[in-house]
Amino acid sequence: MDEILLLDAVERYLKGEMNEQEKTSFEQMRRTNPELDQLVVEHHFFLDEVNRYSSIKAFKNNLHETQTKLEAEGVLKEKELGAGAKVVNLYRRYKKTIAIAASIAGITSLLTYAATNLVAPKADAEQIQELSKKIDAIKKTTDAQGKEISKVKTDIPTKVDPKIQFKSRGTAFLIDGKGYLATNAHIIKTSNTVVVINNKGDEFLAKIAFIDNVKDIAILKIEDKDYKNIQLPYSISKSTTDIAEPIYTLGYPRDEIVYGEGYLSAKTGFNGDTLTCQIDVPANPGNSGGPIFNENGEVIGILSTKQLQTEGAVFAIQSKYILKALDELKKDDKYADIKISSVSSVRKMERKAQARKVKDFIFMVKGN
Amino acid sequence: MKVYPNDDLLLKGLASNDKQAIEALYKENFGLIQTYILNNNGTTDDAKDIFQEAMIVLYEKAASGSFELTAQIKTYVYSVCRRLWLKRLQQSQRYNSPVESLDEVVPVEEELEEHQKKNEAYLMMEKAMGHIGEPCKSLLEAYYLHGKNMQEIAENFGYTNADNAKNQKYKCLMRLKKLFFTQYKNGN
């Protein structure tokens, strides 16, 4: 009920229906209450859109009526193409050619068909039947084999122990095709077992190679003999990105990979935090740890947290901290071979093609 | 700068959505546009479409109140239609060679970009309105489009009193806003 009164007050304020006293106290409230101010601004914008919609709709209506009326009166006539056409109407010119070409093709195929029928020997009906029986028999054995195989498949125990109860999940992405992934520390910090699952549903066991709870960055290494090295199509940006630059993210808020796009809204994060930056993309639990790409397909950050009170405020860890984490990790001889690609091969591609390409390199992370 | 008193009058009429002004504009300009489009790979239906869109552009300008006519309406409408048609040809890939014309044109690119944005918002609102369902759609249209007050709405829609109608309106409005802003955020 309060909300109804509030919005009613906002509408009356915007329409100028408040008396002086009411208006003064409302403006006072607006100054002290940023949420109210936000509501006023948003509703003002919305009402403007509604008004414009309404006036254009009325205008379109009139346009339509006038046109119908003039057509009925014969003022608007269908005109024939004048002789003084400046540009030759190509479609009309080619129409004949196309028609001729099509009929030639049609006649040729009819003739070929007739000729083949004449020349080809007539098949023995009995033979055909026998053959089809043979095929039936072969089909039966294949079916049986197929059943056997699927039975065997279900009997083989999966390498990931199904008894493990996964408590947390999020998103991770490859930073080196040798099986190194970056993600958020908070997803896996209490986990003993970490499993990553790619977009096709293949599961791999991974271990935590590096974790920094303060910066909320973790590097995972896939330790699974089924994993094959791949070449990454994107790079990790060393520089900071500009405000308003379009960005997109891919992640696993649900079991399927989900795409979201938006823009960088501030160079710093919550309360001026310089570790992160603020972005405006739709994000849900499970998106954590996902990569933020800029238009060139370079990773500019890791999606990390969402401010609870404010809709649309999402924060990302800047990509330079991934590079710093890698430098730390390389000090360990075991990981000295990590290398990140410096060029993104999807750079010139359209957004759609980029997303299609990079989605295979983004994994769901589960930890127990 | 030349002044066209008749044109100014037409614009004023257009801004107030006056049918006579619309009819006059049709009679004076449609023939020229139709000839242009027919000569450039189009049909009469294309001409009607393009002309209507140009009229909306002109209406938006006229209604904004800040529009100063620097050329005859005829030239302006022709320039807008020409630009819109070239764009459509490019999109449908029927575009073969640049279609140049000897007629006078004025630059309209900025206006059309603005129109494009407004049109997107219009389509989003139309879609949102189409999705909220009845009685929400009629109720909000009665309040925001036709300027009915809550008492009248309560009577027309069979609510026991204005407060009930207000409650219903609030729920509908919230749904409309949500639908609209979801599209708006995704669109940008």
Side-chain angles (χ1 to χ4, degrees):
Chain A
M1 191 61 207
D2 284 348
E3 282 166 356
I4 304 183
L5 285 177
L6 185 65
L7 196 73
D8 197 49
V10 172
E11 275 196 357
R12 285 197 300 125
Y13 170 73
L14 289 171
K15 285 183 181 170
E17 288 172 1
M18 283 187 168
N19 62 37
E20 270 316 307
Q21 198 190 346
E22 237 184 327
K23 199 173 151 194
T24 321
S25 70
F26 187 84
E27 277 169 353
Q28 177 62 32
M29 266 169 74
R30 204 181 147 180
R31 269 193 294 277
T32 51
N33 184 343
E35 266 176 53
L36 177 66
D37 188 53
Q38 169 73 19
L39 183 67
V40 173
V41 172
E42 180 201 271
H43 207 64
H44 189 186
F45 170 78
F46 181 75
L47 285 186
D48 275 354
E49 289 297 329
V50 170
N51 286 338
R52 222 180 42 228
Y53 169 76
S54 130
S55 64
I56 291 189
K57 204 179 161 192
F59 181 73
K60 275 189 173 172
N61 226 349
N62 269 347
L63 259 185
H64 201 75
E65 278 175 22
T66 311
Q67 192 186 298
T68 324
K69 179 175 163 252
L70 293 177
E71 272 167 11
E73 286 171 3
V75 183
L76 303 186
K77 284 187 289 272
E78 299 260 332
K79 249 194 211 168
E80 275 310 306
L81 194 61
K86 288 186 201 92
V87 170
V88 182
N89 194 321
L90 287 168
Y91 171 64
R92 286 186 195 182
R93 200 170 72 176
Y94 283 136
K95 214 154 58 172
K96 276 183 203 147
T97 328
I98 292 168
I100 293 168
S103 16
I104 292 175
I107 292 166
T108 320
S109 56
L110 273 177
L111 283 175
T112 324
Y113 176 72
T116 345
N117 255 4
L118 261 175
V119 178
K122 288 219 170 67
D124 191 326
E126 216 172 302
Q127 232 178 349
I128 288 176
Q129 206 156 33
E130 212 175 41
L131 272 178
S132 76
K133 259 189 211 144
K134 268 186 196 159
I135 289 172
D136 269 354
I138 292 171
K139 192 168 172 278
K140 263 182 207 150
T141 41
T142 336
D143 280 354
Q145 280 168 349
K147 265 183 209 147
E148 281 289 308
I149 291 171
S150 57
K151 202 171 147 240
V152 171
K153 255 193 192 161
T154 46
D155 287 348
I156 296 174
T158 41
K159 56 190 163 52
V160 178
D161 190 351
K163 281 197 289 287
I164 297 177
Q165 290 281 320
F166 292 109
K167 285 197 296 272
S168 63
R169 63 182 258 192
T171 308
F173 56 100
L174 282 173
I175 46 175
D176 179 334
K178 288 192 282 292
Y180 292 97
L181 300 122
T183 186
N184 279 146
H186 72 255
I187 305 170
I188 42 97
K189 66 179 172 202
T190 58
S191 311
N192 298 318
T193 314
V194 178
V195 171
V196 296
I197 306 156
N198 68 12
N199 162 43
K200 296 178 194 99
D202 305 327
E203 296 189 338
F204 303 103
L205 279 169
K207 74 170 198 198
I208 303 168
F210 173 87
I211 189 158
D212 184 337
N213 284 322
V214 180
K215 297 203 176 81
D216 200 11
I217 290 180
I219 310 284
L220 306 176
K221 168 86 171 70
I222 296 180
E223 304 261 301
D224 199 312
K225 59 177 176 14
D226 287 348
Y227 178 78
K228 289 185 186 66
N229 289 357
I230 36 178
Q231 180 77 36
L232 291 192
Y234 50 79
S235 62
I236 292 166
S237 170
K238 293 186 181 68
S239 51
T240 46
T241 309
D242 272 328
I243 282 180
E245 177 158 355
I247 52 164
Y248 66 96
T249 180
L250 286 155
Y252 291 93
R254 47 199 200 101
D255 285 340
E256 208 174 310
I257 196 157
V258 172
Y259 172 84
E261 61 183 32
Y263 49 85
L264 186 89
S265 33
K267 278 190 170 180
T268 57
F270 188 55
N271 283 343
D273 179 4
T274 51
L275 177 65
T276 56
C277 53
Q278 189 183 334
I279 52 180
D280 195 320
V281 286
N284 289 303
N287 270 113
S288 274
I292 308 290
F293 292 104
N294 64 12
E295 277 192 315
N296 294 333
E298 296 166 332
V299 176
I300 60 149
I302 307 180
L303 201 153
S304 65
T305 47
K306 184 171 166 175
Q307 192 183 338
L308 290 173
Q309 292 88 4
T310 326
E311 188 65 25
V314 178
F315 301 105
I317 304 162
Q318 296 174 15
S319 57
K320 60 180 177 205
Y321 294 100
I322 307 177
L323 300 171
K324 281 194 182 156
L326 284 176
D327 287 342
E328 282 292 306
L329 185 58
K330 274 190 208 160
K331 286 179 190 158
D332 188 339
D333 281 346
K334 240 186 340 171
Y335 299 114
D337 63 334
I338 295 188
K339 224 182 135 203
I340 45 170
S341 69
S342 51
V343 257
S344 80
S345 61
V346 292
R347 180 183 177 89
K348 291 269 159 62
M349 286 187 196
E350 254 184 286
R351 186 79 66 98
K352 210 166 111 192
Q354 274 190 17
R356 202 183 314 128
K357 195 105 188 175
V358 304
K359 74 175 194 303
D360 294 338
F361 300 85
I362 294 159
F363 289 67
M364 186 195 289
V365 192
K366 283 185 181 176
N368 69 339
Chain B
M1 192 193 298
K2 276 190 255 175
V3 184
Y4 308 99
N6 195 31
D7 277 4
D8 268 341
L9 218 61
L10 271 179
L11 276 188
K12 282 204 183 85
L14 193 68
S16 59
N17 199 358
D18 172 34
K19 272 194 184 176
Q20 275 180 338
I22 298 177
E23 202 174 314
L25 283 165
Y26 256 103
K27 283 182 176 161
E28 275 175 35
N29 301 289
F30 184 72
L32 178 72
I33 303 306
Q34 194 183 21
T35 312
Y36 171 74
I37 288 183
L38 286 179
N39 283 343
N40 288 291
N41 272 354
T43 64
T44 302
D45 279 340
D46 287 331
K48 284 176 188 163
D49 262 17
I50 293 287
F51 190 76
Q52 282 208 358
E53 204 172 341
M55 294 297 276
I56 294 168
V57 174
L58 194 62
Y59 169 74
E60 277 167 356
K61 296 297 283 182
S64 75
S66 61
F67 186 43
E68 275 179 22
L69 210 54
T70 50
Q72 266 185 299
I73 288 189
K74 214 181 182 72
T75 314
Y76 186 78
V77 169
Y78 176 75
S79 310
V80 171
C81 285
R82 186 172 165 274
R83 192 77 220 125
L84 287 172
W85 182 239
L86 288 181
K87 210 170 157 194
R88 195 176 290 191
L89 283 178
Q90 268 165 342
Q91 276 164 356
S92 66
Q93 307 197 323
R94 274 191 276 167
Y95 187 59
N96 292 302
S97 54
V99 185
E100 277 315 318
S101 66
L102 300 169
D103 299 86
E104 187 192 352
V105 285
V106 287
V108 289
E109 275 73 12
E110 270 173 38
E111 272 113 320
L112 288 183
E113 243 168 60
E114 203 183 315
H115 166 70
Q116 177 77 15
K117 264 187 221 152
K118 284 182 179 168
N119 195 34
E120 272 164 20
Y122 176 87
L123 291 176
M124 284 173 194
M125 189 63 82
E126 193 173 43
K127 203 170 157 199
M129 277 281 192
H131 275 75
I132 50 170
E134 293 294 354
C136 274
K137 185 167 181 274
S138 304
L139 204 159
L140 290 181
E141 280 183 351
Y143 186 78
Y144 288 104
L145 272 61
H146 307 131
K148 296 263 195 313
N149 66 35
M150 274 302 150
Q151 192 57 46
E152 288 170 305
I153 289 177
E155 280 162 23
N156 289 345
F157 288 80
Y159 293 107
T160 40
N161 57 46
D163 273 339
N164 276 341
K166 213 177 224 173
N167 273 342
Q168 187 60 38
K169 184 214 127 195
Y170 174 78
K171 283 182 199 155
C172 294
L173 181 64
M174 282 299 140
R175 275 171 62 192
L176 183 71
K177 276 180 89 164
K178 198 174 166 215
L179 282 166
F180 176 77
F181 280 114
T182 320
Q183 291 184 69
Y184 196 82
K185 277 182 186 150
N186 288 341
N188 283 304

